C-alpha cells in the first residue's frame, strides 16, 4: 500500500494550463466518484486552488494508480497526455507525505507562508470525508498535515504579516497605478479574496470601491465588515456599467469561464481612458484577448511573482525553521504508517495467547468447583487478562517501534515461528 500525489502548481504550469485542470467545489464530488471507481485507487482526496491542483491517492499498485489519475486529468482538462505530463509532478511515499505537510504550512505557496491554504486543505479533507473516499491512511495524513500547518503558524513567525494573493495584487496595482487613491475601483466577487482586497486597499488608501457579486446579500455582508470604508455594492448584472466607470478592476469570482473579454468590453470603453484589470481567479475571469484593446492592460496571478519575490528573501530563514517542525510531523506519521504492517502479526499473536488463556481458565475453574468459581470468577478472569496483557505489551511496543523494515520483518517472522502463528497477509510499507 503506497501514498502518491499527482498534480501541478504555479511552479510547474502557467495559469492557462492550471485553469484547464481546476476542479470547482461543485464538481469535486463527480471527480472523486470517478476516481474511486478506478480499479487501482483505494483512497483519494482532491485539493484544488487558484495555484494548484493535487490528487492524493493510496494504492497497492502505484504505477497503475498513477496512470488512472493522469488519464482522468487528461480527460477532465482536454489536454493530450504528452502535453499534460510536462506540467505534472508525481511524488511517492515519504516525499508525498512531506509535500502535503509543506503545502498545509504554506511553504509551497506562491506567497511563502500565506494562510489561506490551511483552510483549503481542511476543505479538501471535509469533501473527501463527505464523499467517503478516504480510509485510515489519507484521513490520518490529512489530519496530521493540518496539525503540522497549525504548528508552523503558532511556533514560528512565518505567518506574521504574510502577504496573500490579494495583497500581492494590491501591491502590483500600486506599482502599475501610482495614484491608486484617486481611481475608481471595482471588485467583481465577494468571497475571501475580495475581503482581503478591500482590507489591503482600505489600509493604503480611502478610494471609492464598488463591490459586485452574483447575490447582493453577500456583497452587503462584505461591506458591513468595513464600516469606515467608502464602499458601494451591487450585483453582477451591473458589471459592464461599473467597469465602464472604473479605472481599476479586480476580479475574483468563481465563474468557470471568462466574464470579461474583448467582445463585451470593446463596445463600452472610451479609447481615451486607461483600464487596468487584475484577475486573481483560476479559472481566469478575464480573457487574454482584452489586451488587444487600446489602453486596456490585464494582469493575472502569474504576474504577481515579481511582487512576491521582493518578500521572499526575508522569509527563507523562517521557512527553514518551519521545516524542522515539519520533519517531526513527517517522522511521526511515518512511524504510524510503518507500524501498520505489524497489525496482522500482533492480532494473530494476541488471538493465539487469548485462546490459550481461555482454555486454561476453563480448566482451572472446573477444578475449583462451581461454588468457588462463581464467587471468584470475575477476579480470576481479570488476573489472567492482566498477566497476558503485561507479557504481550513489550513485544508489541518494540515491534511497532522498529523503524528498520528488514529488522521488523525478521522480528515478525520470528514471532510466527516461535508461537506457530497462522500466516497473515501483511502489507509491506516502505
Amino acid at each position: 500500500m503506497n501514498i502518491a500525489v499527482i498534480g501541478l502548481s504555479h511552479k510547474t504550469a502557467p495559469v492557462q494550463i492550471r485553469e484547464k485542470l481546476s476542479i470547482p467545489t461543485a464538481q469535486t464530488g463527480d471527480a472523486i466518484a470517478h476516481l474511486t471507481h478506478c480499479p487501482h485507487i483505494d483512497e483519494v482526496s482532491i485539493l484544488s486552488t487558484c495555484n494548484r491542483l493535487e490528487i492524493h491517492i493510496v494504492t497497492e499498485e502505484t504505477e497503475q494508480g498513477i496512470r488512472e489519475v493522469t488519464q482522468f486529468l487528461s480527460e477532465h482538462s482536454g489536454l493530450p497526455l504528452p502535453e499534460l505530463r510536462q506540467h505534472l509532478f508525481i511524488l511517492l511515499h515519504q516525499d508525498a507525505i512531506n509535500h502535503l505537510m509543506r503545502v498545509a504550512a504554506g511553504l509551497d505557496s506562491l506567497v511563502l507562508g500565506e494562510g489561506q491554504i490551511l483552510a483549503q486543505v481542511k476543505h479538501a479533507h471535509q469533501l473527501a470525508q463527505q464523499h467517503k473516499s478516504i480510509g485510515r491512511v489519507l484521513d490520518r495524513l490529512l489530519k496530521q498535515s493540518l496539525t503540522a500547518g497549525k504548528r508552523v503558524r503558532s511556533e514560528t513567525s512565518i505567518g506574521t504579516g504574510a502577504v496573500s494573493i490579494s495583497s500581492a495584487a494590491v501591491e502590483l496595482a500600486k506599482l502599475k497605478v501610482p495614484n491608486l487613491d484617486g481611481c475608481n475601483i471595482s471588485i467583481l466577487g465577494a468571497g475571501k479574496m475580495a475581503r482581503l482586497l478591500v482590507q489591503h486597499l482600505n489600509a493604503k488608501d480611502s478610494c471609492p470601491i464598488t463591490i459586485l457579486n452574483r447575490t447582493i446579500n453577500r456583497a452587503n455582508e462584505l461591506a458591513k465588515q468595513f464600516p469606515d470604508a467608502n464602499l458601494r455594492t451591487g450585483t453582477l448584472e451591473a458589471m459592464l456599467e461599473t467597469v465602464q466607470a472604473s479605472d481599476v478592476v479586480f476580479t475574483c469570482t468563481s465563474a468557470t469561464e471568462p466574464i470579461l473579454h474583448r467582445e463585451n468590453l470593446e463596445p463600452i470603453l472610451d479609447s481615451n481612458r486607461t483600464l487596468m484589470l487584475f484577475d486573481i481567479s483560476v479559472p481566469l475571469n478575464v480573457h487574454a484577448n482584452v489586451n488587444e484593446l487600446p489602453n486596456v492592460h490585464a494582469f493575472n496571478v502569474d504576474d504577481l511573482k515579481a511582487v512576491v519575490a521582493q518578500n521572499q528573501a526575508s522569509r527563507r530563514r523562517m521557512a527553514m525553521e518551519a521545516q524542522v517542525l515539519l520533519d517531526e510531523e513527517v517522522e511521526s506519521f511515518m512511524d504510524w504508517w510503518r507500524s501498520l504492517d505489524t497489525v496482522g502479526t500482533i492480532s494473530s499473536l494476541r488471538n493465539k495467547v487469548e485462546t490459550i488463556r481461555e482454555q486454561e481458565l476453563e480448566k482451572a475453574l472446573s477444578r475449583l468447583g462451581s461454588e468457588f468459581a462463581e464467587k471468584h470468577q470475575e477476579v480470576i478472569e481479570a488476573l489472567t487478562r492482566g498477566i497476558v496483557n503485561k507479557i504481550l505489551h513489550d513485544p508489541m511496543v518494540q515491534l511497532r517501534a522498529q523503524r528498520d523494515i528488514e529488522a521488523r520483518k525478521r522480528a515478525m517472522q520470528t514471532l510466527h515461528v516461535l508461537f506457530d502463528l497462522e500466516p497473515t497477509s501483511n502489507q509491506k510499507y516502505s
Side-chain angles (χ1 to χ4, degrees):
M1 195 71 73
N2 297 306
I3 296 172
V5 177
I6 305 95
L8 77 173
S9 73
H10 60 96
K11 294 180 178 179
T12 68
V15 66
Q16 290 79 11
I17 296 294
R18 298 202 303 274
E19 67 174 346
K20 292 179 184 293
L21 273 293
S22 177
I23 302 177
T25 298
Q27 297 176 21
T28 301
D30 291 339
I32 286 175
H34 179 99
L35 290 165
T36 52
H37 282 90
C38 292
H40 299 101
I41 296 176
D42 299 300
E43 301 180 34
V44 62
S45 65
I46 297 175
L47 174 63
S48 183
T49 75
C50 64
N51 278 321
R52 71 181 62 250
L53 170 70
E54 296 183 3
I55 296 181
H56 319 117
I57 64 170
V58 172
T59 174
E60 290 187 43
E61 303 292 340
T62 306
E63 188 175 337
Q64 289 91 330
I66 291 171
R67 187 181 299 119
E68 288 165 356
V69 172
T70 54
Q71 184 62 44
F72 162 76
L73 291 175
S74 176
E75 293 170 1
H76 169 71
S77 64
L79 294 172
L81 279 171
E83 183 181 353
L84 175 64
R85 285 195 186 103
Q86 62 182 309
H87 297 293
L88 291 180
F89 62 80
I90 297 172
L91 298 170
L92 305 177
H93 316 314
Q94 189 162 341
D95 289 338
I97 294 161
N98 183 59
H99 171 78
L100 188 48
M101 293 196 184
R102 283 180 59 84
V103 167
L107 300 191
D108 198 63
S109 297
L110 172 64
V111 180
L112 191 62
E114 65 104 355
Q116 224 175 337
I117 187 64
L118 190 63
Q120 292 164 332
V121 173
K122 183 177 181 180
H123 182 59
H125 183 220
Q126 291 171 336
L127 286 174
Q129 288 179 315
Q130 179 184 331
H131 294 286
K132 298 180 172 59
S133 65
I134 54 174
R136 63 178 174 178
V137 176
L138 273 188
D139 183 59
R140 173 90 174 217
L141 177 55
L142 288 164
K143 284 179 178 175
Q144 193 143 356
S145 296
L146 291 169
T147 298
K150 290 173 184 174
R151 277 195 70 192
V152 166
R153 282 163 177 76
S154 63
E155 297 180 35
T156 74
S157 54
I158 196 167
T160 305
V163 289
S164 63
I165 295 294
S166 297
S167 66
V170 173
E171 289 295 330
L172 181 59
K174 289 287 287 184
L175 289 174
K176 302 297 181 180
V177 189
N179 59 332
L180 195 62
D181 56 337
C183 294
N184 289 321
I185 297 176
S186 58
I187 299 173
L188 308 186
K192 290 180 181 178
M193 284 187 165
R195 179 179 60 79
L196 290 170
L197 283 170
V198 175
Q199 178 180 318
H200 291 289
L201 287 167
N202 197 44
K204 294 177 180 294
D205 304 289
S206 57
C207 46
I209 302 171
T210 301
I211 302 169
L212 302 184
N213 192 57
R214 185 174 57 83
T215 60
I216 189 65
N217 288 342
R218 190 164 186 182
N220 288 338
E221 288 172 7
L222 174 55
K224 287 178 183 177
Q225 297 178 43
F226 301 91
D228 298 327
N230 185 3
L231 303 179
R232 294 188 293 265
T233 60
T235 67
L236 287 171
E237 292 177 358
M239 178 180 70
L240 293 180
E241 177 186 341
T242 302
V243 170
Q244 185 180 33
S246 298
D247 302 297
V248 175
V249 177
F250 294 92
T251 62
C252 51
T253 79
S254 58
T256 56
E257 298 289 339
I259 57 175
L260 294 177
H261 41 77
R262 176 171 182 160
E263 290 72 22
N264 64 1
L265 288 183
E266 189 169 23
I268 67 167
L269 294 182
D270 183 346
S271 60
N272 295 319
R273 186 170 185 175
T274 299
L275 175 64
M276 308 293 284
L277 300 172
F278 297 89
D279 184 4
I280 55 174
S281 297
V282 177
L284 294 173
N285 285 175
V286 179
H287 197 286
N289 65 11
V290 301
N291 284 306
E292 298 169 7
L293 297 172
N295 298 328
V296 175
H297 305 281
F299 306 89
N300 59 46
V301 286
D302 283 356
D303 295 311
L304 303 178
K305 290 181 179 178
V307 175
V308 170
Q310 298 173 12
N311 300 287
Q312 297 292 68
S314 62
R315 296 182 180 278
R316 290 193 183 116
R317 181 182 56 81
M318 292 182 278
M320 292 174 65
E321 295 173 4
Q323 186 61 54
V324 173
L325 298 178
L326 294 185
D327 289 344
E328 294 175 7
E329 294 294 333
V330 169
E331 198 53 55
S332 171
F333 180 84
M334 289 298 297
D335 285 343
W336 173 83
W337 193 31
R338 292 186 193 106
S339 75
L340 292 183
D341 67 349
T342 67
V343 170
T345 297
I346 289 173
S347 177
S348 183
L349 176 60
R350 180 170 282 283
N351 289 341
K352 179 75 176 271
V353 176
E354 179 63 17
T355 299
I356 294 171
R357 186 192 72 81
E358 289 176 351
Q359 290 171 347
E360 294 304 311
L361 178 62
E362 188 176 344
K363 289 179 189 177
L365 291 176
S366 65
R367 293 193 192 106
L368 291 172
S370 59
E371 183 177 336
F372 181 89
E374 288 177 11
K375 185 176 181 181
H376 300 288
Q377 181 169 353
E378 191 173 320
V379 174
I380 299 172
E381 178 93 21
L383 172 66
T384 57
R385 284 189 186 279
I387 292 171
V388 165
N389 288 338
K390 287 185 181 298
I391 291 173
L392 292 180
H393 178 264
D394 284 346
M396 290 181 176
V397 168
Q398 293 300 320
L399 190 58
R400 289 193 186 101
Q402 180 56 255
R403 291 183 175 180
D404 184 276
I405 296 171
E406 291 304 316
R408 188 170 64 249
K409 192 183 298 184
R410 288 194 298 271
M412 288 191 290
Q413 290 171 344
T414 300
L415 285 173
H416 276 266
V417 171
L418 290 177
F419 289 91
D420 191 24
L421 302 179
E422 292 292 327
T424 63
S425 56
N426 286 327
Q427 295 159 320
K428 303 300 183 287
Y429 291 77
S430 58

